[in-house]
Amino acid sequence: MAHAIRYHRYGGPDVLAVEEVPMPEAGDGEVVVEVFATGLNPIESVTRRGDGTPGDDGFPRGQGRDLAGVVASVGPGVTGFAAGDAVMGYVDAGAQASHVVVPAGQLMRKPASVPWEVAGSLYTAGTMAWSAVEGLALTPGDTVVVTAAAGGAGCLAAQFALLRGATVVGTSADARLDFLAQYGIIPLGYGPGLAARVRERAPGPVTAFLDFLGGEAPEGIALGVSPSRIVTVLDRAAVEQHGIAAVEPGDLVALRRVTDLVAAHRVRLPIADVFPVERVADAYRALDRRDAPGKIVLGFHVVHYEQQRVREPDVKEQDVTLGVPTPHGHIDVEESVPPVIGDGRVRARHRAEREERDARRGEATDAAEERRD
């Protein structure tokens, strides 16, 4: 049996469950992928809550588009992939499962230099960011505002804009302003009066506006940006009211271009956290707070090390709803080894080697005691 994250009614993260499902089979031109990592996207929360989705039919439903993993089997007519290949790509829905059927035309080989958690998070955020920046044709003379610039799509879009020589002003939660500054982004905190605050910080007139937060497009209008150079992801009302552009995820060509930049270390997709699949509800609570630096990822093969120190506690749901965050102690990066994703073979080999060494030491001790006797 395979496992899939599904929900049977609209609602918050609590409606999500990991359920046993039949092992999928590949049809013509299809590939079954054993999923190692799948990135979360805000649109999944919108869809799961039922926002803008009529009717209650079609349950149970899966979710997720981005994935990376290993080919488990291939269907008739597939010649570009074989069992065991490391791949990354996307599906229309249902990527959050242990095994997923993917059209071969929506897969590419995963570069060895791109970690699983990054490869499994690049499609939606990366191709939307790529399409948005490419559509604006930014130049060194442009100054662009990117909202939610510490998130996955916003962070990548800001880096793509910087590669083109543009000046970037990025908004984020106050706790992430230093994070933005490290990329060369002019940081601004969330809050009212964005247009006025941008004018104070920007070195020149704003010529483009990328709204990855939602609801901020009117600030771009207030800054004098032409609607043709304002792009949004989630704000459909602004599209209808102001005639601005809505950006959608791209195709495999766009994914290859983004992946090449990541593999060459020209841009970076930061990973805020990797959650094991059984903590999917916690993962979406973290996503919905919209203050994570980079992507939040679900892993089907999350490995922890025996000597790893205790991870810094997550901010709990009541901390957010009450507005009184519980203080958490700071842990330096050097003090902890983050979770990684793999198939477990290395860990199993190391465990076997340790058991063999312990057994040899035990035998040597027993022999020494017998000689003393």
Side-chain angles (χ1 to χ4, degrees):
M1 297 291 286
H3 293 82
I5 294 170
R6 304 198 297 183
Y7 58 101
H8 295 255
R9 58 184 174 85
Y10 295 125
D14 289 336
V15 304
L16 296 170
V18 182
E19 301 179 344
E20 283 194 349
V21 295
M23 183 65 69
E25 297 182 2
D28 290 347
E30 295 178 334
V31 176
V32 173
V33 176
E34 181 184 1
V35 177
F36 282 15
T38 171
L40 275 57
N41 297 290
I43 189 61
E44 291 146 17
S45 291
V46 173
T47 302
R48 188 192 63 248
R49 291 193 299 264
D51 298 352
T53 304
D56 291 335
D57 58 344
F59 292 112
R61 295 181 178 180
Q63 60 179 15
R65 299 199 69 182
D66 307 39
L67 58 85
V70 170
V71 172
S73 62
V74 299
V78 175
T79 58
F81 301 102
D85 288 345
V87 295
M88 55 188 288
Y90 62 97
V91 291
D92 292 338
Q96 294 172 9
S98 63
H99 295 78
V100 178
V101 173
V102 187
Q106 295 174 195
L107 281 176
M108 58 176 282
R109 293 183 183 276
K110 183 187 80 69
S113 61
V114 178
W116 288 112
E117 55 267 35
V118 174
S121 305
L122 265 182
Y123 169 68
T124 300
T127 61
M128 282 199 306
W130 178 266
S131 298
V133 173
E134 285 291 296
L136 291 173
L138 298 175
T139 69
D142 281 304
T143 295
V144 57
V145 172
V146 179
T147 67
C155 185
L156 286 172
Q159 292 176 78
F160 296 154
L162 290 169
L163 284 178
R164 287 177 165 268
T167 298
V168 178
V169 179
T171 71
S172 179
D174 288 346
R176 307 301 177 199
L177 298 184
D178 180 64
F179 173 83
L180 296 185
Q182 294 180 54
Y183 284 92
I185 300 167
I186 300 172
L188 278 181
Y190 291 144
L194 176 61
R197 293 186 292 120
V198 168
R199 289 192 186 98
E200 292 176 358
R201 296 294 306 277
V206 175
T207 57
F209 195 97
L210 299 178
D211 183 20
F212 289 102
L213 181 64
E216 299 282 15
E219 299 292 333
I221 299 292
L223 285 165
V225 181
S226 168
S228 65
R229 302 204 88 203
I230 300 177
V231 176
T232 186
V233 175
L234 299 172
D235 195 351
R236 301 299 177 183
V239 173
E240 297 177 4
Q241 182 177 355
H242 301 290
I244 65 178
V247 65
E248 301 285 349
D251 56 14
L252 194 66
V253 174
L255 180 60
R256 289 184 188 278
R257 290 172 176 169
V258 172
T259 303
D260 286 345
L261 290 172
V262 172
H265 307 293
R266 297 189 64 194
V267 301
R268 183 167 65 93
L269 178 62
I271 301 299
D273 208 348
V274 179
F275 286 81
V277 68
E278 61 269 17
R279 291 188 60 200
V280 59
D282 290 335
Y284 273 99
R285 291 187 189 103
L287 176 76
D288 293 343
R289 289 196 294 268
R290 300 298 294 273
D291 63 356
K295 293 290 292 186
I296 293 173
V297 186
L298 284 179
F300 280 83
H301 297 275
V302 177
V303 179
H304 294 268
Y305 295 96
E306 290 183 5
Q307 303 304 318
Q308 180 177 340
R309 298 199 180 193
V310 176
R311 296 172 58 193
E312 186 174 0
D314 299 326
V315 178
K316 303 304 180 186
E317 188 172 15
Q318 60 266 28
D319 294 339
V320 178
T321 56
L322 294 177
V324 185
T326 302
H328 303 307
H330 175 73
I331 297 179
D332 291 331
V333 174
E334 292 79 5
E335 294 181 2
S336 63
V337 178
V340 298
I341 296 174
D343 61 8
R345 287 177 294 183
V346 173
R347 189 183 185 194
R349 188 181 74 246
H350 289 172
R351 182 166 56 246
E353 291 172 350
R354 286 196 303 272
E355 292 173 352
E356 184 178 350
R357 288 196 298 270
D358 292 343
R360 286 200 298 267
R361 281 196 291 266
E363 292 172 357
T365 301
D366 293 342
E369 290 178 351
E370 289 177 1
R371 287 194 295 272
R372 284 197 297 271
D373 293 341

